[in-house]
Amino acid sequence: MPCVVALLAGCTASADEGGGSPGAVAPNSSGGGGFVVRHEPPAGADRGDASFLRDRKLLERSSATLNAFIDPGRRVTVVARSCEGEGSGYDPESRRIEICYDDVARERALFRHAGHRPADEEVAAVLVETFFHEAGHAVIDVLDLSFTDRAEEDAADQFAALMLLRQGGDGERSLRFAAKEYELTAAEEEADAESDGADADGDDGERDEHSPARLRAANHLCHLHGSAPGRSRDVVGPTLSRSRAAGCGTEWARVRGAWTERLAPLLRR
Ligand SMILES: [Zn+2]
């Protein structure tokens, strides 16, 4: 899902050393920032998926949620567009989040293959989680935080979890679907690896700085469980082990605390 492969510079948020990036923003200096959404005309094949995204106002509503919570101090443009397989991502050069119409088709196919129909709610949840993940990269960029690639991806996933869990029951449901998406992706990758043979690793030249999909699923479920243990006992199972689940309350408190501290300069007052 979110920027599966770093074809767009964005998912790695790999700002050039020494000035390629627009740089950090002075906290609360301008007060004029925010996430602004734009929909580009879709390529013919993406028309239905573009309508799905636009008609449900997924990006507009999620941006409004974000804008009510933080002021990034700069404009971050959120562009919905036909990406022709590039994958959604964040580009620090243009300070732009790209959300791909073709992600809608991919997610729908993934869930339908697993028996979810029509999968509208699942697809919408995953697209919102993708947006918040990319917004996490944007916030990391604006705050000029320094992470390794893998740690930044994990932090962006945690930011997405934070934004969803702040929304209560609806957000919890979305986070469950996002975790499900990673489980389905992991199963797909494992099946592909099996059919490609043991020596296929890396043969396609793709590079992925994210944690493995199954671990990303477990992380989301752990944060959900840590945030709302009484409403999420059922998530303990094959993906989130009982032993890890026992520590999820502490883990979520640490993750939430770290993000709350980082976000302090940007919080709306
Ligand atoms: Zn990412």
Side-chain angles (χ1 to χ4, degrees), residues 104-115:
V104 175
R106 181 193 132 67
E107 302 303 345
R108 190 179 298 284
L110 189 70
F111 277 103
R112 285 192 172 178
H113 186 67

Side-chain angles (χ1 to χ4, degrees), residues 2-3 10-12 133-134 137 152-153 156-157 209-210 216:
C3 40
C11 201
T12 57
H133 172 99
E134 302 307 342
H137 282 302
E152 173 159 344
E153 292 304 333
D157 280 351
E209 65 278 16
H210 302 92
R216 298 178 82 183

Side-chain angles (χ1 to χ4, degrees), residues 193 196-206:
D196 287 352
D199 62 351
D201 188 39
D203 280 0
D204 55 6
E206 290 183 348

Side-chain angles (χ1 to χ4, degrees), residues 17 34 101 108 124 127 130 141 167 182 194 202 211 225 232 266:
E17 300 288 339
Y101 299 137
R108 190 179 298 284
L127 266 291
T130 298
D141 177 36
Q167 296 175 26
Y182 287 128
E194 214 162 278
S211 289
H225 190 58
S232 59
L266 306 184

Side-chain angles (χ1 to χ4, degrees), residues 43-66:
D46 292 338
R47 259 185 222 140
D49 298 326
S51 297
F52 178 86
L53 205 54
R54 192 181 53 239
D55 295 349
R56 287 167 180 261
K57 301 193 186 314
L58 297 176
L59 299 178
E60 288 82 354
R61 292 209 316 257
S62 301
S63 291
T65 299
L66 211 42

Side-chain angles (χ1 to χ4, degrees), residues 88-246:
S88 297
Y90 171 70
D91 177 15
E93 298 294 327
S94 53
R95 202 169 269 136
R96 184 171 129 134
I97 292 170
E98 293 189 358
I99 299 294
C100 303
Y101 299 137
D102 26 314
D103 279 10
V104 175
R106 181 193 132 67
E107 302 303 345
R108 190 179 298 284
L110 189 70
F111 277 103
R112 285 192 172 178
H113 186 67
H116 297 238
R117 284 176 195 277
D120 286 350
E121 195 187 351
E122 290 88 333
V123 172
V126 169
L127 266 291
V128 168
E129 190 265 3
T130 298
F131 165 73
F132 283 136
H133 172 99
E134 302 307 342
H137 282 302
V139 169
I140 287 167
D141 177 36
V142 160
L143 287 169
D144 208 18
L145 302 176
S146 180
F147 288 102
T148 63
D149 285 352
R150 173 65 64 87
E152 173 159 344
E153 292 304 333
D154 289 344
D157 280 351
Q158 292 160 3
F159 181 81
L162 176 73
M163 291 308 299
L164 290 172
L165 291 173
R166 289 185 80 248
Q167 296 175 26
D170 287 349
E172 288 172 16
R173 197 167 159 76
S174 295
L175 195 56
R176 280 173 182 261
F177 284 135
K180 184 70 191 175
E181 199 272 359
Y182 287 128
E183 287 178 345
L184 295 175
T185 298
E188 201 177 61
E189 288 171 355
E190 285 153 15
D192 285 351
E194 214 162 278
S195 66
D196 287 352
D199 62 351
D201 188 39
D203 280 0
D204 55 6
E206 290 183 348
R207 181 173 60 85
D208 191 343
E209 65 278 16
H210 302 92
S211 289
R214 204 165 282 288
L215 178 57
R216 298 178 82 183
N219 291 341
H220 271 349
L221 293 179
C222 183
H223 298 150
L224 168 67
H225 190 58
S227 162
R231 291 193 296 277
S232 59
R233 289 192 187 93
D234 60 303
V235 304
V236 180
T239 299
L240 178 63
S241 68
R242 187 167 296 281
S243 59
R244 182 171 174 190

